[in-house]
Amino acid sequence: MKKLFVWSLLLLTFAQLIACVPQEEIFTNNPVTLGFSDKAIVFDTLFTNTRSITQRLRVYNPDKNAIRINRIEIGGKANSPYSVSIKGEKGTVFTDVELLGKDSLLVLVEITVPANSQTGVVIAFDSLLFTTNQQQQQVKLIAWSENAHVLQNYTITGNETWDKTKPYIIQDSVTVAAGATLTIGDSTRVYGLDKNAFIRVEGNLIVKGDTGSIVTFTGIRREIEFEEQLGQWRGIVMEAGAGVDISHALIKNAYTGIAITGNDADTAPDLIVKNTTIKNMFEHGINANNADVLLENSLITNCIGNTFGVTNGGSYILRHCTLTNYEFEFIRETPSVLFSNEAANPFTVELTNNILWGNKTNEVALIEPLGNIKLTARYNIVKTDLEVFEGNNNLLNQDPEFVKENIGDFNLTKDSPAKDAALPIGFMFDLIKIARDAAPDIGALEFVE
C-alpha cells in the first residue's frame, strides 16, 4: 500500500511538470501597437563630457501572442550622443527582438554629451524608434546640456578668478597654493564630481556672492532625487595658514561644508562666513580645530554631525546665526553645536543673537576639558540644560517656532519668541537681505509678516 502511494505521488508530480512545460510560442503577424512606460525620456541639465544617469523605459506587448520587434534603433544612430542597452547588450541598433505575449522589455538609455563651443544650455533631441510588423512607433529622447570647466588635480599658484560664464566641475581636487588667491564671483556654480572631490585652501579663497546671485557649491548630480542628498562631494578644506572669506553662498550636499585647521597665535578670523547657508552634510557643517572663525547672518542645518563643531580651542564669534539640526532623514548622535579643547589652547567663544536648536534635549555641548574658556553668550535661544547659558537675556528651551522645519523653512512665525528679542548690534539686513527693524529678531532670518 505504501509503495502504491509513492508511485501515485510520483505520477501526479510528473503530470504537473508536463502541464507546466510552455507550448511553443506563437508569433503574430498582425499589426501590434506597443505600450511604453513613458512617452519621452528626459534628462535634466547635464554637463558635457560627463555620462548621465541611466533612464529606464518599459516596452509592453499587449497581444496574447508573442511579437518580434523587427528593429529598435536610435534615430541618429552612431552620430547620436544617446546609447541603449537591451538584455545586457549596448548599441544604437537592435534587430529581431522577441517579446512574449503580455510581457514587457526593459530598455536602458544613457547619454554622453560631447563638448561644444556654445555657451548656455543646449538641447539634444533624438528618438528611439520601434518597428513591429511594418508599424513604426517612437519615444522622444530629450536632454539639456551645458559646457563646463572640468578641473582635475588642479593647482592655483597665482591670482585667479572664477566667474559665472561656465560652471566649474572638480573631478578630484582643486588646490589654492600658499601665497595664491582664488576669487569666485557672484552667481558662479561649483560642482564636486564625487565624494572624493574637494577644494583645498593653503592660500586665500574669496567668495563674493550677492543676494539673488549667490555662489553655489554642491554635487554634480542635478536630478530632482539628488537635490538634497547628503555626502555627494567632500567639501572645502582649509589648511593651517589659509584664509577664507565667504559672502552670500550656498554650500550643500557634502561630507563637511568647511573644515579648518589653524595654528596661529592671534585671534584674527582665518575663516569669515557671512550671509551663507550650509546644509545637507554627511558629517559637519563647519568643523574647526584650534581656529579663528567669524560667522554672521548664516544658517547651518541638516547635518548628521555638528552644524558647528570645535576641537582644541581657538577663537569663535557667532552673531545672528541659526544653527539647527533635525532627524527627518537620518539618526544622529551628536548635538547641533559642540565646543571642546583637549589641547588646552587659548579658547574664547562669543555668541550673540543666535538660535542654537534641534530636536534633541541638549543641542549645545561643552566637552571637558575646556581649559580656561571665556564664553560670552547673550540674547540667544538655546536648547540646553547647561547653567552657563542662564541669564544675559538668553531664552533657554523656548521653541523658536520655525515656519516648517521639516522642509527646511526656518523663517519665524508671528508667535516666535525670537521676534524683537535680539540685541541691536548694527546688522541692518538678515541672511537674505531683509531689512532688520529697530527691534531685530534673534537668528539669521528676520520675521516678515
Side-chain angles (χ1 to χ4, degrees), residues 177-231:
T181 299
L182 170 60
T183 302
I184 302 180
D186 66 273
S187 302
T188 303
R189 291 166 293 149
V190 181
Y191 298 91
L193 183 66
D194 57 30
K195 64 182 181 181
N196 298 312
F198 70 106
I199 300 174
R200 177 192 290 113
V201 185
E202 298 169 352
N204 299 288
L205 171 63
I206 301 171
V207 178
K208 301 169 68 173
D210 202 349
T211 305
S213 53
I214 63 173
V215 176
T216 302
F217 300 84
T218 185
I220 195 172
R221 303 301 292 269
R222 294 197 279 183
E223 298 85 10
I224 189 66
E225 60 266 33
F226 291 94
E227 180 68 23
E228 305 295 332
Q229 188 180 82
L230 288 64

Side-chain angles (χ1 to χ4, degrees), residues 416-422 437 439-442 446:
S416 171
K419 276 184 61 183
D420 304 332
D437 56 28
D441 304 337
I442 296 174
E446 186 80 355

Side-chain angles (χ1 to χ4, degrees), residues 173-293:
S173 67
V174 167
T175 298
V176 184
T181 299
L182 170 60
T183 302
I184 302 180
D186 66 273
S187 302
T188 303
R189 291 166 293 149
V190 181
Y191 298 91
L193 183 66
D194 57 30
K195 64 182 181 181
N196 298 312
F198 70 106
I199 300 174
R200 177 192 290 113
V201 185
E202 298 169 352
N204 299 288
L205 171 63
I206 301 171
V207 178
K208 301 169 68 173
D210 202 349
T211 305
S213 53
I214 63 173
V215 176
T216 302
F217 300 84
T218 185
I220 195 172
R221 303 301 292 269
R222 294 197 279 183
E223 298 85 10
I224 189 66
E225 60 266 33
F226 291 94
E227 180 68 23
E228 305 295 332
Q229 188 180 82
L230 288 64
Q232 296 181 43
W233 65 297
R234 185 172 163 189
I236 299 172
V237 178
M238 293 178 61
E239 304 292 353
V244 171
D245 189 340
I246 298 175
S247 180
H248 291 93
L250 170 63
I251 304 171
K252 68 173 190 172
N253 302 353
Y255 267 71
T256 291
I258 305 173
I260 172 174
T261 299
N263 63 356
D264 55 23
D266 60 44
T267 58
D270 301 309
L271 171 62
I272 300 172
V273 180
K274 298 181 179 181
N275 295 83
T276 290
T277 297
I278 301 174
K279 65 177 184 176
N280 306 339
M281 297 297 151
F282 195 80
E283 293 179 347
H284 311 293
I286 293 179
N287 186 32
N289 182 351
N290 188 25
D292 304 318
V293 178

Side-chain angles (χ1 to χ4, degrees), residues 301-317:
T301 186
N302 206 36
C303 307
I304 294 181
N306 312 122
T307 57
F308 193 92
V310 171
T311 56
N312 296 321
S315 175
Y316 305 92
I317 301 173

Side-chain angles (χ1 to χ4, degrees), residues 73-202:
E73 62 183 327
I74 296 174
K77 298 183 175 62
N79 295 322
S80 177
Y82 295 93
S83 63
V84 170
S85 295
I86 297 176
K87 297 181 180 179
E89 294 187 15
K90 192 170 185 178
T92 56
V93 179
F94 300 83
T95 58
D96 294 331
V97 179
E98 296 181 355
L99 183 54
L100 301 180
K102 301 296 183 180
D103 203 355
S104 66
L105 173 70
L106 178 62
V107 178
L108 304 178
V109 184
E110 294 179 344
I111 178 173
T112 299
V113 184
N116 56 69
S117 59
Q118 295 176 280
T119 58
V121 176
V122 179
I123 302 178
F125 284 111
D126 212 326
S127 295
L128 190 56
L129 306 175
F130 296 81
T131 303
T132 311
N133 297 344
Q134 286 74 54
Q135 177 170 299
Q136 189 177 84
Q137 296 173 260
Q138 69 171 342
V139 173
K140 295 183 184 298
L141 304 176
I142 307 170
W144 286 263
S145 67
E146 185 176 11
N147 275 320
H149 301 281
V150 180
L151 307 174
Q152 184 174 15
N153 195 23
Y154 184 71
T155 300
I156 298 169
T157 57
N159 295 331
E160 185 169 318
T161 300
W162 293 0
D163 61 29
K164 61 187 177 184
T165 307
K166 290 194 293 186
Y168 294 78
I169 299 174
I170 302 172
Q171 282 203 339
D172 43 23
S173 67
V174 167
T175 298
V176 184
T181 299
L182 170 60
T183 302
I184 302 180
D186 66 273
S187 302
T188 303
R189 291 166 293 149
V190 181
Y191 298 91
L193 183 66
D194 57 30
K195 64 182 181 181
N196 298 312
F198 70 106
I199 300 174
R200 177 192 290 113
V201 185
E202 298 169 352

